[in-house]
């Protein structure tokens, strides 16, 4: 576990994080039991800017709606398959466009935002199936193996790891690397940080996460199935994963989900670094315009992916 990221002036950092949290809570506060899921999704998307400094275009990946996001100068022959968060109910490539644009610039590769189907309309393993379909489509475009990485945040971070674990059975090659931001790796919400960080986390508590898990898994899902909870994967499967970088905030109840997963990968003989960012909350990287730590984290994440994809971050290139 790495915790080499010192926060800026603590008072300023706390104020900025609190402002971000207040925005999120204001959105939650408009919802009740009668709020349609379509309205909730629209409200969530509206939290984040749609206009980004990148080329954006929609694409159909064999029936899975996706969105290419490419910073100016990003290599078209390298890709990051990105799975958005939102508890398997909210979020979309639209809500994560700013984050994906920053990741494209920081890595020098295009990002494919995967619009997988969500609950309550579609339960496990449908989102995982859609991820596999998108990966097969990328392979058909010549983007597989060392030309592609897999990334995701929160529920999408856990889904990204489940996807990496599932690729061998799908006959698909191992990607170059994996990146997660505040990954949800245990549907059982059994990590110790659900207790030790409960008073510090303003967004997620164990009962909420277990309710989301029940909604996602439905009657057919098992919280101990590695395709739902990657933390439960066997050592042999963990050892076969590509090099991983997991980023997580120190104020998160989901802290253990990343720390424990990275530890288990290393114990199995694989490569996994877990960066814990002091003072940061769940998926703080989604607010790069408001949190300097978010921009720094995305630059580090991009540099990690660039190193494994053979790219150069756009901002580091020397003009011809």
């Amino acid at each position: 576990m790495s915790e080499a990221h010192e926060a800026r002036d603590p008072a300023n950092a706390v104020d900025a994080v609190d402002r971000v949290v207040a925005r999120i809570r204001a959105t939650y506060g408009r919802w009740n039991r009668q709020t349609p899921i379509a309205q909730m999704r629209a409200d969530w998307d509206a939290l984040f800017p749609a206009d980004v400094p990148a080329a954006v275009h929609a694409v159909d990946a064999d029936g899975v709606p996706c969105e290419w996001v490419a910073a100016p100068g990003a290599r078209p022959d390298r890709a990051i398959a990105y799975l958005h968060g939102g508890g398997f109910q909210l979020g979309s490539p639209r809500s994560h466009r700013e984050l994906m644009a920053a990741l494209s610039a920081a890595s020098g590769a295009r990002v494919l935002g995967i619009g997988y189907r969500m609950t309550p309309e579609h339960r496990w393993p449908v989102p995982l199936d859609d991820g596999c379909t998108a990966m097969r489509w990328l392979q058909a475009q010549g983007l597989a193996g060392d030309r592609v990485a897999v990334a995701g945040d929160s529920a999408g971070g856990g889904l990204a790891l489940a996807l990496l674990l599932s690729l061998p059975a799908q006959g698909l090659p191992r990607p170059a690397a994996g990146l997660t931001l505040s990954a949800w790796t245990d549907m059982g919400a059994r990590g110790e940080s659900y207790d030790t960080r409960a008073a510090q986390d303003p967004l997620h508590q164990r009962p909420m996460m277990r309710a989301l898990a029940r909604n996602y898994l439905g009657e057919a899902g098992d919280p101990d199935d590695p395709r739902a909870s990657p933390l439960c994967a066997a050592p042999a499967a963990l050892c076969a994963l590509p090099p991983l970088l997991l980023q997580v905030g120190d104020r998160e109840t989901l802290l253990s989900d990343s720390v424990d997963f990275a530890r288990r990968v290393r114990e199995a003989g694989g490569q996994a670094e877990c960066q814990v960012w002091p003072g940061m909350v769940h998926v703080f990287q989604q607010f790069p315009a408001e949190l300097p730590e978010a921009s720094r984290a995305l630059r580090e994440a991009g540099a990690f992916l660039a190193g494994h994809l053979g790219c150069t971050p756009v901002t580091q290139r020397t003009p011809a």
Side-chain angles (χ1 to χ4, degrees), residues 80-85 103 150-158 160 178-183:
I80 300 164
Y82 196 91
L83 296 143
H84 67 81
L103 198 56
V150 175
D153 66 279
S154 192
L179 165 72
T180 67
L181 316 175
S182 300

Side-chain angles (χ1 to χ4, degrees), residues 6-307:
E6 295 185 5
R8 56 200 161 100
D9 180 75
N12 290 338
V14 169
D15 287 346
V17 171
D18 286 348
R19 286 193 294 272
V20 164
V21 170
R23 282 182 53 207
I24 296 171
R25 283 180 157 174
T27 298
Y28 285 170
R30 296 198 297 270
W31 302 339
N32 56 46
R33 291 182 182 275
Q34 284 71 49
T35 305
I37 189 67
Q39 183 62 55
M40 295 167 68
R41 289 170 180 164
D43 289 346
W44 188 253
D45 282 359
L47 264 175
F48 308 98
D51 295 328
V52 297
V56 178
H57 72 271
V59 64
D60 183 315
D62 289 340
V64 180
C66 297
E67 195 171 271
W68 277 118
V69 179
R75 287 182 61 164
D77 61 345
R78 297 291 187 274
I80 300 164
Y82 196 91
L83 296 143
H84 67 81
F88 298 110
Q89 296 185 93
L90 308 176
S92 68
R94 157 66 179 79
S95 65
H96 285 62
R97 196 175 290 166
E98 182 181 29
L99 189 158
M100 291 189 293
L103 198 56
S104 176
S107 65
R110 290 191 296 168
V111 179
L112 182 72
I114 300 173
Y116 58 87
R117 289 169 288 177
M118 296 185 288
T119 63
E121 301 95 330
H122 304 280
R123 304 186 191 278
W124 181 88
V126 170
L128 180 58
D129 292 341
D130 286 352
C132 290
T133 296
M135 293 299 288
R136 283 193 293 271
W137 180 84
L138 280 172
Q139 183 181 42
Q141 313 306 305
L143 295 164
D146 61 5
R147 292 172 175 254
V148 64
V150 175
D153 66 279
S154 192
L159 187 57
L161 295 173
L163 178 59
L164 288 169
L165 290 165
S166 300
L167 291 179
Q170 298 290 321
L172 290 166
R174 188 177 88 159
L179 165 72
T180 67
L181 316 175
S182 300
W184 184 16
T185 67
D186 177 18
M187 292 287 117
R190 291 164 283 206
E192 68 173 8
S193 56
Y194 282 96
D195 297 314
T196 61
R197 297 301 190 273
Q200 301 174 44
D201 191 325
L203 297 171
H204 300 102
Q205 299 296 322
R206 180 179 273 133
M208 172 188 175
M209 300 307 296
R210 286 182 170 170
L212 288 171
R214 288 193 297 272
N215 191 41
Y216 173 53
L217 294 172
E219 303 233 346
D222 177 357
D224 293 332
D225 190 320
R227 296 173 300 160
S229 295
L231 188 62
C232 297
L238 295 172
C239 181
L241 290 171
L244 301 174
L245 173 63
L246 299 90
Q247 294 182 342
V248 64
D250 192 47
R251 288 179 60 184
E252 297 192 51
T253 55
L254 275 76
L255 174 63
S256 293
D257 281 54
S258 291
V259 172
D260 292 350
F261 188 87
R263 174 182 51 78
R264 289 206 64 223
V265 170
R266 291 193 299 270
E267 289 174 350
Q271 300 178 54
E273 177 188 358
C274 183
Q275 295 180 348
V276 180
W277 288 74
M280 293 297 105
V281 293
H282 192 66
V283 198
F284 65 95
Q285 298 91 336
Q286 214 167 354
F287 300 91
E290 293 146 285
L291 301 175
E293 293 84 355
S295 294
R296 283 178 26 225
L298 288 170
R299 286 196 299 271
E300 294 198 18
F304 166 80
L305 293 175

